Amino acid sequence: LEFRRVLFRSVVDDATIRFTLTRPYALFTSVLALPAMAPIQRDRAINLAARGRSYGDNPASSGPFVLKQGGKGGSVTLVRNKKWRQALDGIRVPKVTSMSWKVWDKEADLDAAVLRGDVDVRLDGGLGTTARDALIAGEVPRAQVDASATGAVNFLAIVPTATPLERKPCREAIMYALDKADLAALRGGADVVRIIGSMSSPALPGSAVDPYPSGDGTGDLDAARSKLVSCGYPDGFEVRMGYASIGVGQATYESVQRSLARIGIVVDPVKYDTFPEYFNGGVGSPSTVRDKQIGLIAASWSPEGASPLSYWAPIADSRRIKLRSNLNYPELADDQVNHLLDAIEGGNPDVGRISRAIDGIVMGTASYLPYGAEQLVLYRGPHLTGVYVQQALGGQYDLVNVGKVQAVIP
């Protein structure tokens, strides 16, 4: 999709490709860094196509490792690439000769392997429930564990097209009353979900302060009741909430229902059975949201790429509101937000300040109620070196320079 912005491209030399864009686009280098954008030899692609084979099934490597399949127990091994030379690579400085990977069918089995020390590092999702419980109990040293922001934010959208939410104080009453701590607990607790009051992801620069603080995260009921008086519904009102009854969806609805009942707000369910139904023709359809008078929408947002533009544009740019699969659930339409997003896309380097400004405007509308930022609980063995968290990999460990120190037995 991003290549619609490319006017033409040319090969300058063996190590350089020049792209000429139709207009400035700040995320283009990030797009080029994606695995799918890695250039391959044209002759190789033509040769594979002639034999009815694809590059995906016959990968090549220009880095320090090559793929060796067929290991025991469904494992895959990376071994040194004999054609790679350290002198020609100033980025990767590997300190191991091989790495073996295994995909586990059951999370409990993987957790057990981690606790036994059979696994040096776990990727793709972080520690499971069993290992996290062991961490809390002190069975896993915290020095070997990292909490990393995934970029995903869990939130409620408060839709102004539903009565009486067209009145801002009514929306603000919900902002103050929500028990964020209860919602975080049902998603796994503080190790997995960090309570937040800003819509900006902690993985991005420019996070703002919480304009609707509640101390311990359980809600400020006095402030909420004051807002109800201001909006003309001192005893509360009725609102409908859309949610998918999958995973923690039902529990999320029930938690919100309990929270708001404390100030007299009755939350009625609009339940969907599948995510496609929910996000496409359900809450992702502005006309459906209006017709069903859905006032609250349970959602989560985690964009591709840790940049303010890819994060904010789908959920806050009024020019991106769609008839189906819409992500701007409250249909925010603010010219200043659109202008700020254009500034980021055009290459303005002050992205932290701009993102913070967007966050302030968005939170000021009381149309988005963020309650939790998801975190990975990552584990690395005591003998590993050169391992660090990389936000460009979704908050996972980057193993490009991994090393391992063998245990010394006295």
Side-chain angles (χ1 to χ4, degrees), residues 245-285:
S245 58
I246 302 171
V248 297
Q250 183 65 35
T252 297
Y253 162 71
E254 293 171 0
S255 175
V256 174
Q257 188 181 48
R258 288 192 302 271
S259 290
L260 302 189
R262 297 179 299 172
I263 60 168
I265 296 178
V266 177
V267 183
D268 298 321
V270 181
K271 183 172 67 173
Y272 292 85
D273 295 326
T274 67
F275 283 124
E277 178 189 14
Y278 182 58
F279 288 111
N280 295 334
V283 298
S285 166

Side-chain angles (χ1 to χ4, degrees), residues 119-122 142-146 378-384 387 397:
V119 175
D120 287 317
V121 63
R122 177 178 175 178
R142 282 196 173 269
Q144 294 165 222
V145 175
D146 298 290
L378 302 175
Y379 169 83
R380 48 189 162 74
H383 307 302
L384 290 186
V387 178
Y397 283 136

Side-chain angles (χ1 to χ4, degrees), residues 209-232:
V209 298
D210 182 359
Y212 305 96
S214 63
D216 60 359
T218 59
D220 185 337
L221 301 188
D222 289 337
R225 292 188 182 101
S226 176
K227 291 296 181 181
L228 285 179
V229 172
S230 298
C231 82

Side-chain angles (χ1 to χ4, degrees), residues 105-133:
D105 295 327
K106 297 179 180 179
E107 186 173 74
D109 292 341
L110 176 52
D111 279 348
V114 169
L115 297 176
R116 288 194 306 267
D118 296 342
V119 175
D120 287 317
V121 63
R122 177 178 175 178
L123 300 177
D124 194 21
L127 294 179
T129 304
T130 301
R132 290 201 305 270
D133 290 343

